[in-house]
Amino acid sequence: MRAIELTAPSLDALRTTTLPDPVLGRGEVLVRLRAASLNFIDIGVATGNYPVPGFPIVPVCDGAGEVVEVGPDVTEFAPGDRVVPHSKPSWVGSPITALGSTRMRGVTLPGSLAEFATLPANALVPTPTHLSDAAAATLPIAATTAWNARRAARVRPGSIVLLLGTGGVSIFALQFAKAAGATVIITSSSEAKLERARALGADLTVNYKRRPDWDAEVLTLTDGRGADLVVETGGAETIARSLNAAALGGTVFVIGFLTGVKASIDLLPIIVKALNVLGNNTGSVADLRDAARAIAACKIEPVVDQTFGVNDTALAYAHLAAGGRHFGKIAIVH
């Protein structure tokens, strides 16, 4: 089969190659991969900032495709079914475990930049019928994370949700929050991106370049209440402001570290406001299935900012690695 390999921790180390076709085992499904979607973890792997057992590897965690063949004991899927493989196929539905969190496609397992993959049947989720393969490929990490944020904070009508930036998780969280009847505030340094966010339903926007004290602006916009859910994507330089912008009893859902991982924070807001500060490591296959069901029921259309052909994989990586260019997700189609 044709595949893309990453031969070293470098954005210049992507190459086209031919690999043996995967062998189907008991309880497994052979999937013809049609699309992949990039996440920042893929950039981390390709720049040496996220550890992998060794090179070369078939990269990219997230993908989507169709069933070609099913192995013995597989009854829930049939050839022709469109499916989304979870990026962490061993994390089926239980609380997080060491095995479930570390076995990851594109990191310790072959990823989505190959024609075919064999996967356990219980690691697959049916593709919502209204989605293209490129759109479906965006679901495993970004949609699952956003869904778990919404669920952790019990977002409902009347809730206030604060989203930092306009990357894939933030845009999915915007769509889930609006489907739940919440008020959404979103930040960006780009007025063009804020306009796009408003078109998707964002109620209030803050340009953090113009308002570096964006947490104070959030409190002003909410009459001092703050946000019931803050999806914290920034890391070291934003966490303190996220805590300040949170409402009493609110949830700060920590998922990113774009500005670094080591932060010095004031504990008083956490204590005085009785905040729930939660880390997140994506979620299980069951969480992805719930997110996909919600997307199907609400006819949510994932925002794919740009789609690249597989021969332009290096350009897709460069586009995401540049930072600040994209709105939503970046897809690669086979």
Side-chain angles (χ1 to χ4, degrees):
M1 67 176 179
R2 188 171 180 268
I4 301 292
E5 280 189 329
L6 183 68
T7 60
S10 168
L11 291 173
D12 297 323
L14 292 159
R15 71 177 187 188
T16 302
T17 189
T18 301
L19 298 175
D21 289 338
V23 178
L24 191 63
R26 184 172 297 276
E28 291 186 332
V29 174
L30 179 65
V31 177
R32 171 65 166 93
L33 294 163
R34 298 293 186 184
S37 177
L38 290 177
N39 294 279
F40 279 104
I41 189 174
D42 301 311
I43 300 299
V45 169
T47 56
N49 292 314
Y50 194 92
V52 297
F55 294 96
I57 60 171
V58 176
V60 182
C61 302
D62 287 355
E66 65 185 43
V67 174
V68 175
E69 185 181 353
V70 299
D73 299 334
V74 175
T75 58
E76 59 266 51
F77 294 105
D81 288 348
R82 297 174 62 230
V83 293
V84 181
H86 191 29
S87 56
K88 297 180 177 179
S90 297
W91 190 2
V92 177
S94 60
I96 189 169
T97 63
L99 180 64
S101 66
T102 56
R103 295 189 76 245
M104 193 168 188
R105 303 183 65 240
V107 179
T108 64
L109 302 170
S112 295
L113 292 186
E115 286 186 280
F116 298 98
T118 53
L119 293 144
N122 61 9
L124 303 176
V125 170
T127 297
T129 56
H130 71 289
L131 296 188
S132 67
D133 291 320
T138 70
L139 302 188
I141 289 180
T144 304
T145 300
W147 176 257
N148 282 339
R150 184 217 62 83
R151 183 161 52 189
R154 300 179 294 279
V155 172
R156 55 197 181 277
S159 295
I160 297 175
V161 174
L162 171 61
L163 307 172
L164 307 190
T166 56
V169 175
S170 291
I171 297 304
F172 269 120
L174 164 62
Q175 294 171 303
F176 284 140
K178 292 310 300 179
T183 296
V184 175
I185 306 170
I186 195 165
T187 73
S188 176
S189 61
S190 165
E191 287 298 328
K193 289 182 178 180
L194 292 177
E195 184 176 350
R196 291 183 68 180
R198 288 190 290 269
L200 284 173
D203 300 280
L204 300 164
T205 58
V206 179
N207 187 319
Y208 62 79
K209 192 171 184 179
R210 296 180 180 178
R211 286 296 307 264
D213 60 339
W214 50 265
D215 52 330
E217 178 67 2
V218 168
L219 292 173
T220 298
L221 291 172
T222 59
D223 296 324
R225 170 180 165 180
D228 301 295
L229 169 64
V230 182
V231 179
E232 166 48 60
T233 59
E237 294 181 14
T238 58
I239 183 65
R241 293 191 185 278
S242 290
L243 296 173
N244 188 48
L248 291 169
T251 296
V252 179
F253 202 73
V254 183
I255 65 165
F257 45 88
L258 294 175
T259 64
V261 298
K262 295 184 179 180
S264 177
I265 61 173
D266 184 352
L267 294 177
L268 279 181
I270 300 174
I271 297 167
V272 173
K273 293 198 284 187
L275 298 180
N276 302 294
V277 181
L278 298 177
N280 180 260
N281 193 353
T282 307
S284 67
V285 178
D287 295 327
L288 170 59
R289 185 174 293 108
D290 286 344
R293 286 171 176 163
I295 286 168
C298 299
K299 291 296 186 287
I300 290 172
E301 186 66 44
V303 177
V304 179
D305 183 75
Q306 195 165 343
T307 301
F308 294 82
V310 70
N311 292 331
D312 293 323
T313 292
L315 293 178
Y317 269 81
H319 187 71
L320 182 59
R325 291 183 180 178
H326 68 292
F327 180 97
K329 297 291 292 179
I330 294 169
I332 300 169
V333 295
H334 292 274

